Amino acid sequence: MTKNLRRVLVRALLTPLFAAPLGVLAQAGTAPLKVGFVYVTPVGQAGWSYQHDLGRQAMERALGAQVTSTVVEAVAEGPDAERVMRDLARQGHRLIFATSFGYLEGALRVAAEFPDVRIEHTGGFKTRANLNTYNARIYESRWLAGRLAALNSKNGVAGYVAGFPVPEVVQGINAFALGMRSVNPKAEVRVVWLQSWFDPPREREAALALKNQGADVLTNHTASPAVALAAEELGVKLIANQSDMRRFAPKAQLGAVTYQWGDYYTRVARAVIAGTWAAQPVWGGIGEGMTDLAFIDGALPPTQRAGIDAARADLVARRRQVFAAPLDDNGGRARLAQGVLADDAIAAMDWFVQGVVGSVPASR
């Protein structure tokens, strides 16, 4: 759910999560820390906001009476989000999670107005003394998903329903293609862009179009279960996005690329309570517990499951990097001749690797 991150400065990633104290906001024996969560879509039964809400629930279970939380869902990016965050601050919430990229400018203004409130923003590239950014290296899980897709595709063609052409989405498409081609060097990924995160009718139409283009595995970077439902109906395989979609696609789902926010939300709230919170951008991957390829079909052949587990272990141990040389784009231009693509280049990615059919349109 992030927008263009070309100007992102990835700094101190994977170093200790919380630095020197920035002032105690909640002391032992005082009232519980009030934590606000702002979601861009309804929570629903699956998807982006659903995963954040699972993280909120995990935080509450872990911290018990030390916290209380408030959820405001289906908040549009822009002025509405700023108004909601300001209202939460005025109501005494001393920690706010702003969980969509389009909330960034409003979060910055609210942070300036309420210096005693700590704001955590998903996927942004600007910080203040009381505003931090965090995100997951979801592309690591999508690389694993590409391998799983290739192992279960008869045609060697996957279909990818994509929301907006922002770097995080492009990273995921490229990682998925690289994962497929690590198993089948001739594999293709075909993409349909929606210019929307949540549009179930159009998500379904895109899935149907990709099936007609030969895709026998579908995946997506959109927010509804529409692609999962379409995969089940069409009799093709599914790599689910963000959540376990077996309730919608019990026969189709091979696995699910997931965000896992519970541990992070718990650590952040503990740091605010202890007075040790500091604005230090975080970009964590599988090894940091912020993403994974999960809910893998138990009926997979044991050799497939073992292969996926071994590839995951290589990522965690940094024996393998997703965006490692040689990397060529799908127009034949060499993008990386040696080494590993730097974080700032990954964060600004606006081109497709070989194996992806199509081009990256202009961002919104």
Side-chain angles (χ1 to χ4, degrees), residues 2-360:
T2 59
K3 200 184 175 185
N4 197 321
L5 302 181
R6 286 183 177 84
R7 295 173 293 172
V8 71
L9 176 61
V10 179
R11 53 188 172 93
L13 298 174
L14 309 183
T15 56
L17 187 59
F18 302 109
L22 202 155
V24 176
L25 298 183
Q27 299 286 354
T30 63
L33 174 69
K34 295 180 70 173
V35 186
F37 289 80
V38 187
Y39 302 149
V40 73
T41 65
V43 172
Q45 297 178 296
W48 175 257
S49 295
Y50 178 80
Q51 290 302 122
H52 283 283
D53 204 58
L54 290 181
R56 178 191 66 83
Q57 294 173 42
M59 177 200 72
E60 286 197 331
R61 288 193 300 271
L63 299 181
Q66 296 178 77
V67 298
T68 62
S69 65
T70 300
V71 169
V72 187
E73 56 186 308
V75 178
E77 295 176 332
D80 285 352
E82 181 175 342
R83 174 186 54 78
V84 167
M85 286 183 278
R86 183 172 287 106
D87 287 348
L88 288 169
R90 287 172 175 164
Q91 293 164 19
H93 294 81
R94 290 295 173 260
L95 173 61
I96 297 172
F97 289 97
T99 65
S100 190
F101 183 88
Y103 295 167
L104 177 57
E105 295 304 322
L108 287 164
R109 286 189 285 271
V110 173
E113 186 176 344
F114 296 90
D116 289 337
V117 174
R118 303 312 185 227
I119 300 178
E120 291 269 340
H121 177 258
T122 310
F125 59 93
K126 298 178 182 178
T127 64
R128 294 181 60 93
N130 63 326
L131 187 150
N132 191 44
T133 63
Y134 67 99
N135 207 352
R137 295 179 186 267
I138 198 73
Y139 64 82
E140 293 185 347
S141 299
R142 293 197 188 278
W143 180 80
L144 291 177
R147 290 179 62 87
L148 184 59
L151 291 167
N152 290 275
S153 172
K154 295 178 181 178
N155 300 340
V157 179
Y160 208 116
V161 180
F164 289 100
V166 298
E168 182 176 309
V169 178
V170 178
Q171 295 160 21
I173 295 168
N174 283 340
F176 191 88
L178 291 170
M180 285 195 76
R181 287 167 78 88
S182 70
V183 173
N184 174 5
K186 296 183 179 180
E188 289 184 354
V189 177
R190 295 180 175 270
V191 182
V192 173
W193 293 102
L194 298 184
Q195 303 291 342
S196 173
W197 296 123
F198 186 83
D199 191 334
R202 292 180 60 228
E203 291 173 64
R204 171 182 164 77
E205 290 172 6
L208 294 173
L210 290 164
K211 168 64 165 59
N212 290 337
Q213 294 176 36
D216 59 1
V217 179
L218 295 176
T219 191
N220 63 301
H221 195 142
T222 50
S224 88
V227 175
L229 290 165
E232 187 77 5
E233 175 188 336
L234 296 169
V236 299
K237 295 301 182 181
L238 171 76
I239 304 291
N241 179 50
Q242 300 174 346
S243 301
D244 182 8
M245 296 285 181
R246 283 175 295 184
R247 72 185 75 181
F248 306 105
K251 296 179 181 178
Q253 180 170 300
L254 295 169
V257 171
T258 64
Y259 295 88
Q260 300 177 4
W261 302 119
D263 286 348
Y264 181 73
Y265 287 166
T266 302
R267 294 197 301 271
V268 170
R270 279 200 176 113
V272 173
I273 292 168
T276 58
W277 183 97
Q280 184 170 316
V282 173
W283 197 13
I286 292 175
E288 291 70 48
M290 296 180 76
T291 178
D292 202 2
L293 177 65
F295 308 111
I296 296 176
D297 184 0
L300 289 178
T303 54
Q304 279 195 29
R305 181 58 190 261
I308 294 297
D309 289 344
R312 178 190 288 107
D314 284 344
L315 288 175
V316 172
R318 301 301 178 198
R319 292 187 293 267
R320 180 186 286 270
Q321 299 282 345
V322 172
F323 297 116
L327 281 179
D328 296 336
D329 66 27
N330 63 357
R333 174 186 171 189
R335 294 285 186 160
L336 185 69
Q338 60 183 3
V340 177
L341 203 63
D343 277 341
D344 59 350
I346 296 172
M349 189 172 281
D350 61 356
W351 50 274
F352 280 152
V353 298
Q354 284 187 339
V356 182
V357 178
S359 59
V360 180

